[in-house]
Amino acid sequence: MTVGEPKTKEEYEKIIKECTQALKSSSINPQTFIKRANAYEQLENYEEAFKDVRNALSLDHSNKQYIEKAHQILKKSTDKVNSRTPTNIVRTLIADCCNESEDIKKRVESAERLAALTKDIAFAKITGQEGGVEFIVNALMNEVNKKDNQEFRIRLRMALIGILSKVSGVKEYTTLILERINKTSISLLIDTADEKRAFLGMDLLKTLFNTAIDLPLNKIRILAQAREISLDHLCNILTQNVNTNIKVNSVHTIINIIVDKSSAIAFTGTSGFAILLGCAAEKDDRIKPMVALAVSRIISHMNGEDKSIRESCESNISNWLNADKESEKIKGLSALASVFQANVDVGKSILLSKGFLADIMDTIDFESEQFQTLFIDVLSQACADKVCRQNIAERCTGFLLKNLKLESKNEIRIDSALVLTKLMFIRREITDMLLKEENLSDSFINRIIDDKRDLNSRTNAIEGLSYMTIFAPIKEKIAKNDTFLKSLTDLAKCENQPLQYGITTIIDNITQYPRELTEEEKQLKKIKEFSKEQSVIKDDERDKAEYVVKRIENVLKNNGILTLIALSKTESVNAHESLSQIFLNIVTEKKFRGQVVQQGGVKVLFKMVGKGNTEKGIMLATQALAKIAITMDPRLAFKSAKATDLVRPLIIMCKKGSLLQQFEALMALTNLGSVDDDLRMKILKEDGIKAMESLQFTENVMVRRAATEALCNMMYEPEVYTSYIQSPSKIKLLVALSDVEDFETRRAASGALAVLSQAEEITQHIKKVNYGYEVIKSLLEDKSEELQHRGAEITKNIIINSKKGDENLNRLKNMGCIKQLEVLTHSRLPAISRCAVEALLWIRKNNLL
């Protein structure tokens, strides 16, 4: 470019003024920006000169003269400023790595250094500010036809893409990068010749489109165009003969690019969506679940308005199934299976569309074994929906039952059995047929323990077995198979929710104790027996508690706790509820509680009590921890911090749990309250006293007793002690409970009174209870030495807190309490005799009577 150059400063300033005016008054022209940049350059105002060159480049991306001018200004700027400021360092590196005239080795070193620096967001911002996007994209474009120094060229491209990836995370510069995405640049960014280079470019797209969320409305067109080009390229990669890892990451990138409703709807109408859906038929086990995930994410972005994806899925799947080629039919069924995995409602709308299921059933016997196997897999997925189950039971039962006889086609036989297990509760004859096939469960077990099988096949077998373990004979068979139980440990570590949930269900079923029927359920059962109505699940001797204990013992012997620990890493709340139930099943028997503690089960239970569990599951986990806390020293069973963490869930269970759960929560709190002051203070802070006192009024004797025992342990807490001193009604209740029929309740209530009666205010409260002295006398005369001791302690404290002439002393004497004290001085228990002697000596010493 040749530009006439004025000689004086004033002339340069005049050019600047004229160009500025021209840019304001007429259409923006890149040449005007360059003319003003030249003037700024002559005045050594490189900052403004560089800005104008960038503006020119934004209007004409690939103009080589503008790029050369930018490099020229950058070089002059860095020569003028010798300080090693971050801005100057970035300028120098941009100039060096993007300048084609530089030595290739120096360019690579500069690019790799800048790539390292831009990992820091501050340097990424500076790179964007200093024109990094424009120069780097142009530098990449210039690499298209370069054949020399391939080793350095590859390193340069990777470093340049790495820089762009970091800058794409800065929102101010996303539009600049989006504008430069076209069919040529996208091919450079994602180089499928090398896995590492492809991943680098895909990471750039993930960052870019996630950063581009909420762009201004005037930039939406640019975003949509860049997204369309990127998705089209990624979907084309799925049709190519490239490394499978690249295909998997392509699907992952597609998921990350489609981030909202508009992009989801736009994509479902493209040929790219059909390509993605068709990838469900890929042989690699990793791609099919990725396709299901992609479809699931697209549907979730649509917020219920999924008509377009329903129509697109149905159209593509129908076309494939109606094709003559076997490979196309396989693609259709594979796609439908993935759709069911993604969203049952969308899959259901296709399967139950008019004629769809009937057409397949008309020709199913003539289809290949692979087609039949895939169709059975679709039916298995569809059974997640009640309406689908009913339709499958009506239309497909004959086909599935016939397959049970195909000994020569064991895979189809087992897969058919899996679907039939899901239909058991719809048609009784299915259950009868399955139970007659004695070796069917063995086929499931053999498939599961065969670690050479693909994970999907083993997952299906786990699912089938999870349904069959509702029957006692199957429970017994599984519990006695050590190899099977040990194989579950490694399988449980797989990050596969259906697999993990299936394993959880199996262990839950084989460790489940028989549930005690309500009176209503007992009556209903009698009616059914009278009418000879048969249940799918018959009563079986092997469902009794003694069999369950043996099964649990064998589960624990074969890495049971390790399996449960592995399963706890799932994010499924339903699985967490089942895990909580399993632990409760295990710790129901006292002898297993130590194993749970020793092998790390307590840590899992505390996790189950936290977030990520159902309300019922939290209660079950809390109950399991309560059982451990009841029979084991909390200082050994739980670390001190964990024991404190258990207090709140226990108190919640006191408020919301069943009678049994309330009883066990109170028993656990009794044990915790006996440990130390910190735990008692925690119980107090969590409003535990109020919960305990509330349960003292329940009609259930055991709950009332446990509440009183828990409170008795809390009397040593000063705040609790003070609250009773200030509340005559609370003392009246304790006096009343000291006279109930239940021995343990009397013992706890009178024990609390014995502690409290050391305070004069408490003895005054006792005196005011009409029947108080009668209760004291009954304690003194009780056959139990424990109650005698409590009665003697209360009597002694009343005497010590009385003065001469106190009419209450005469009442004690007239009631025969003083005489009974004399009897107790001869007690064989030193504590009782000592207490009685102290009381009588106090009377004599102070001449009270």
Side-chain angles (χ1 to χ4, degrees):
M1 181 185 302
T2 312
V3 180
E5 295 185 358
K7 302 292 184 181
T8 67
K9 178 183 176 182
E10 288 74 17
E11 288 177 304
Y12 293 137
E13 289 175 344
K14 183 180 178 183
I15 291 173
I16 290 170
K17 190 174 181 180
E18 289 172 351
C19 290
T20 302
Q21 188 62 39
L23 289 168
K24 286 180 180 179
S25 58
S26 59
S27 60
I28 296 174
N29 188 316
Q31 289 289 347
T32 308
F33 278 118
I34 291 298
K35 185 176 180 181
R36 190 170 68 174
N38 283 323
Y40 277 130
E41 182 184 1
Q42 295 301 320
L43 293 174
E44 297 187 358
N45 188 345
Y46 301 122
E47 293 288 339
E48 295 301 323
F50 186 65
K51 285 179 184 178
D52 277 349
V53 176
R54 282 190 64 187
N55 286 331
L57 274 171
S58 69
L59 298 170
D60 189 353
H61 298 329
S62 56
N63 190 302
K64 290 187 177 181
Q65 290 179 322
Y66 298 169
I67 295 168
E68 287 173 7
K69 172 58 71 175
H71 283 304
Q72 178 185 322
I73 293 171
L74 269 178
K75 189 173 188 313
K76 287 182 177 181
S77 173
T78 52
D79 287 344
K80 180 181 178 182
V81 183
N82 294 320
S83 62
R84 302 295 289 168
T85 62
T87 300
N88 202 48
I89 291 169
V90 169
R91 283 179 183 173
T92 303
L93 293 174
I94 291 172
D96 289 344
C97 71
C98 296
N99 192 344
E100 286 190 69
S101 62
E102 287 284 0
D103 175 66
I104 185 64
K105 188 175 179 181
K106 183 179 179 181
R107 291 184 68 191
V108 170
E109 289 172 353
S110 297
E112 289 178 343
R113 187 179 172 202
L114 186 56
L117 286 174
T118 50
K119 290 178 181 178
D120 184 327
I121 188 69
F123 278 96
K125 285 182 177 180
I126 294 170
T127 302
Q129 290 166 1
E130 297 302 316
V133 172
E134 297 93 325
F135 295 134
I136 289 167
V137 170
N138 280 299
L140 271 172
M141 296 296 285
N142 289 332
E143 288 294 307
V144 174
N145 298 313
K146 299 291 173 62
K147 303 295 183 183
D148 62 316
N149 299 307
Q150 277 302 293
E151 181 183 345
F152 284 110
R153 294 288 176 193
I154 289 169
R155 282 175 59 188
L156 177 62
R157 290 170 199 160
M158 289 183 69
L160 292 174
I161 294 170
I163 297 165
L164 278 179
S165 184
K166 297 300 179 291
V167 177
S168 69
V170 182
K171 208 169 188 71
E172 301 96 286
Y173 304 108
T174 51
T175 305
L176 280 177
I177 301 175
L178 289 169
E179 286 175 341
R180 286 159 174 77
I181 289 182
N182 52 50
K183 290 183 178 180
T184 304
S185 64
I186 197 74
S187 299
L188 282 167
L189 290 174
I190 303 174
D191 184 354
T192 55
D194 179 83
E195 183 180 318
K196 191 174 180 181
R197 299 205 297 275
F199 282 15
L200 196 63
M202 290 178 191
D203 284 345
L204 187 154
L205 292 182
K206 292 173 190 175
T207 305
L208 179 63
F209 285 101
N210 276 283
T211 309
I213 294 173
D214 300 326
L215 278 181
L217 288 174
N218 61 342
K219 303 295 182 184
I220 295 300
R221 185 187 59 79
I222 296 169
L223 174 62
Q225 185 177 346
R227 181 183 284 120
E228 183 182 343
I229 292 167
S230 300
L231 288 172
D232 185 58
H233 185 79
L234 290 164
C235 290
N236 282 333
I237 288 173
L238 297 176
T239 66
Q240 298 169 15
N241 184 24
V242 297
N243 184 311
T244 306
N245 290 334
I246 294 176
K247 287 190 176 183
V248 171
N249 206 31
S250 291
V251 179
H252 191 261
T253 307
I254 289 168
I255 293 170
N256 277 269
I257 289 178
I258 301 171
V259 293
D260 56 23
K261 184 177 177 179
S262 60
S263 58
I265 292 172
F267 180 61
T268 55
T270 66
S271 59
F273 178 72
I275 291 170
L276 174 68
L277 198 60
C279 283
E282 287 276 348
K283 291 180 180 179
D284 193 282
D285 287 339
R286 295 169 298 167
I287 293 181
K288 187 169 184 175
M290 287 294 292
V291 172
L293 177 61
V295 175
S296 175
R297 290 285 178 86
I298 291 169
I299 293 170
S300 69
H301 288 313
M302 291 183 171
N303 298 321
E305 296 181 24
D306 49 15
K307 183 181 177 183
S308 61
I309 196 168
R310 287 172 189 263
E311 292 174 349
S312 183
C313 287
E314 185 172 354
S315 172
N316 283 300
I317 290 169
S318 295
N319 289 339
W320 287 326
L321 287 173
N322 291 328
D324 294 329
K325 288 184 179 180
E326 175 77 3
S327 60
E328 293 292 290
K329 292 182 178 182
I330 297 301
K331 188 184 289 187
L333 284 179
S334 300
L336 183 53
S338 284
V339 170
F340 264 111
Q341 288 175 3
N343 187 284
V344 172
D345 287 338
V346 176
K348 171 184 172 181
S349 68
I350 298 170
L351 187 75
L352 301 185
S353 60
K354 189 175 180 180
F356 187 92
L357 198 55
D359 288 347
I360 293 178
M361 292 309 300
D362 285 344
T363 59
I364 190 66
D365 291 333
F366 304 101
E367 299 290 354
S368 68
E369 187 172 329
Q370 184 184 6
F371 184 93
Q372 290 187 18
T373 301
L374 278 170
F375 177 63
I376 294 166
D377 183 44
V378 169
L379 296 182
S380 181
Q381 300 285 346
C383 280
D385 178 79
K386 182 179 179 181
V387 178
C388 285
R389 282 199 303 274
Q390 291 170 339
N391 274 268
I392 292 167
E394 181 183 334
R395 296 174 179 271
C396 308
T397 299
F399 164 70
L400 295 167
L401 287 174
K402 184 180 69 176
N403 290 341
L404 288 184
K405 304 299 181 184
L406 298 175
E407 297 290 342
S408 60
K409 296 181 179 179
N410 199 42
E411 294 302 305
I412 287 181
R413 176 174 171 269
I414 297 173
D415 290 341
S416 296
L418 167 61
V419 180
L420 288 167
T421 58
K422 299 178 181 183
L423 304 176
M424 285 191 298
F425 296 100
I426 297 178
R427 297 181 66 168
R428 178 58 202 260
E429 67 267 26
I430 294 175
T431 306
D432 293 337
M433 183 69 77
L434 288 174
L435 291 177
K436 284 178 185 176
E437 296 287 323
E438 293 183 1
N439 64 344
L440 188 59
S441 59
D442 291 328
S443 299
F444 282 136
I445 291 169
N446 291 335
R447 183 185 278 198
I448 291 163
I449 63 179
D450 184 0
D451 57 9
K452 292 180 182 177
R453 279 190 170 274
D454 65 273
L455 190 62
N456 186 55
S457 174
R458 297 172 82 188
T459 301
N460 287 339
I462 283 284
E463 190 178 3
L465 208 54
S466 72
Y467 283 91
M468 297 190 76
T469 48
I470 61 174
F471 300 108
I474 308 299
K475 293 178 187 179
E476 285 292 296
K477 180 185 286 188
I478 287 175
K480 291 175 181 176
N481 191 323
D482 294 353
T483 304
F484 171 79
L485 291 175
K486 285 176 180 172
S487 72
L488 295 181
T489 306
D490 286 333
L491 277 172
K493 295 174 184 176
C494 299
E495 293 182 7
N496 181 309
Q497 276 200 13
L499 173 66
Q500 290 176 322
Y501 186 69
I503 295 171
T504 305
T505 304
I506 289 171
I507 300 174
D508 188 6
N509 285 340
I510 64 178
T511 62
Q512 190 69 261
Y513 283 89
R515 186 174 64 85
E516 189 172 338
L517 299 178
T518 64
E519 286 303 316
E520 185 180 347
E521 288 170 330
K522 287 177 183 176
Q523 292 301 318
L524 185 62
K525 184 179 178 184
K526 286 180 182 178
I527 293 169
K528 285 185 176 181
E529 288 171 351
F530 181 76
S531 63
K532 296 182 180 180
E533 180 182 337
Q534 292 183 321
S535 170
V536 172
I537 306 174
K538 299 177 182 177
D539 288 342
D540 194 297
E541 179 76 15
R542 290 163 290 188
D543 274 326
K544 291 185 176 178
E546 56 265 34
Y547 285 91
V548 177
V549 171
K550 289 178 182 177
R551 290 201 291 266
I552 291 173
E553 189 170 14
N554 214 43
V555 167
L556 293 177
K557 188 180 76 176
N558 290 286
N559 303 333
I561 300 298
L562 289 177
T563 302
L564 297 178
I565 290 171
L567 290 171
S568 70
K569 294 174 183 175
T570 179
E571 294 180 1
S572 165
V573 292
N574 291 327
H576 284 180
E577 182 183 304
S578 294
L579 280 170
S580 303
Q581 180 66 66
I582 293 167
F583 273 108
L584 181 58
N585 297 343
I586 293 169
V587 300
T588 295
E589 181 65 32
K590 290 181 185 178
K591 67 180 180 180
F592 298 140
R593 294 173 191 175
Q595 279 181 264
V596 172
V597 172
Q598 291 164 9
Q599 295 177 28
V602 166
K603 186 176 180 181
V604 176
L605 280 169
F606 271 105
K607 179 181 177 182
M608 297 297 107
V609 168
K611 295 178 181 178
N613 202 347
T614 64
E615 188 173 336
K616 179 184 176 183
I618 290 170
M619 285 291 182
L620 294 170
T622 304
Q623 190 177 3
L625 286 167
K627 286 181 181 289
I628 294 170
I630 290 168
T631 56
M632 297 186 70
D633 185 339
R635 289 165 292 195
L636 299 176
F638 318 114
K639 293 179 180 178
S640 58
K642 288 295 181 186
T644 306
D645 292 344
L646 181 55
V647 170
R648 178 179 288 180
L650 287 174
I651 292 170
I652 291 171
M653 195 158 77
C654 284
K655 297 174 181 177
K656 297 183 178 180
S658 64
L659 285 173
L660 176 60
Q661 288 173 333
Q662 288 176 334
F663 172 73
E664 292 183 331
L666 288 165
M667 293 284 284
L669 287 168
T670 301
N671 231 11
L672 292 175
S674 67
V675 173
D676 57 36
D677 292 340
D678 287 343
L679 275 165
R680 283 193 290 274
M681 182 57 71
K682 179 68 174 176
I683 292 170
L684 186 64
K685 285 182 177 178
E686 294 295 340
D687 211 14
I689 302 301
K690 188 176 179 180
M692 294 170 187
E693 290 174 341
S694 174
L695 291 174
Q696 283 187 299
F697 292 96
T698 184
E699 292 181 7
N700 185 278
V701 174
M702 294 182 71
V703 173
R704 186 170 63 229
R705 175 205 302 167
T708 308
E709 288 176 338
L711 276 169
C712 184
N713 269 5
M714 293 299 296
M715 292 304 165
Y716 296 99
E717 189 62 37
E719 195 172 324
V720 179
Y721 193 98
T722 303
S723 74
Y724 273 75
I725 288 175
Q726 297 169 351
S727 176
S729 61
K730 290 183 179 182
I731 300 304
K732 186 176 181 179
L733 177 60
L734 287 176
V735 172
L737 291 173
S738 298
D739 194 39
V740 295
E741 289 184 13
D742 182 61
F743 170 75
E744 285 86 354
T745 305
R746 290 177 69 199
R747 180 177 61 187
S750 58
L753 282 175
V755 173
L756 291 166
S757 61
Q758 296 174 55
E760 182 181 354
E761 295 92 335
I762 299 294
T763 59
Q764 295 303 320
H765 295 331
I766 295 172
K767 291 173 185 178
K768 292 175 183 177
V769 179
N770 293 333
Y771 50 86
Y773 286 171
E774 286 86 346
V775 173
I776 293 169
K777 184 184 178 185
S778 71
L779 292 171
L780 290 167
E781 294 177 345
D782 200 277
K783 294 177 182 180
S784 164
E785 290 177 330
E786 287 182 281
L787 295 184
Q788 288 173 9
H789 188 197
R790 285 157 172 74
E793 190 69 35
I794 295 166
T795 307
K796 182 191 77 173
N797 289 333
I798 291 173
I799 291 168
I800 291 172
N801 288 310
S802 298
K803 295 177 182 179
K804 188 175 181 178
D806 193 328
E807 62 177 31
N808 290 293
L809 288 175
N810 289 323
R811 284 181 63 195
L812 279 175
K813 183 179 179 180
N814 293 336
M815 286 292 298
C817 293
I818 304 300
K819 186 176 181 180
Q820 188 59 30
L821 279 179
E822 291 172 355
V823 174
L824 293 179
T825 59
H826 301 291
S827 172
R828 68 181 186 84
L829 199 68
I832 296 174
S833 60
R834 184 168 56 248
C835 185
V837 168
E838 285 177 14
L840 294 170
L841 285 173
W842 187 272
I843 292 172
R844 187 178 302 172
K845 179 181 176 183
N846 295 282
N847 196 23
L848 295 178
L849 288 173

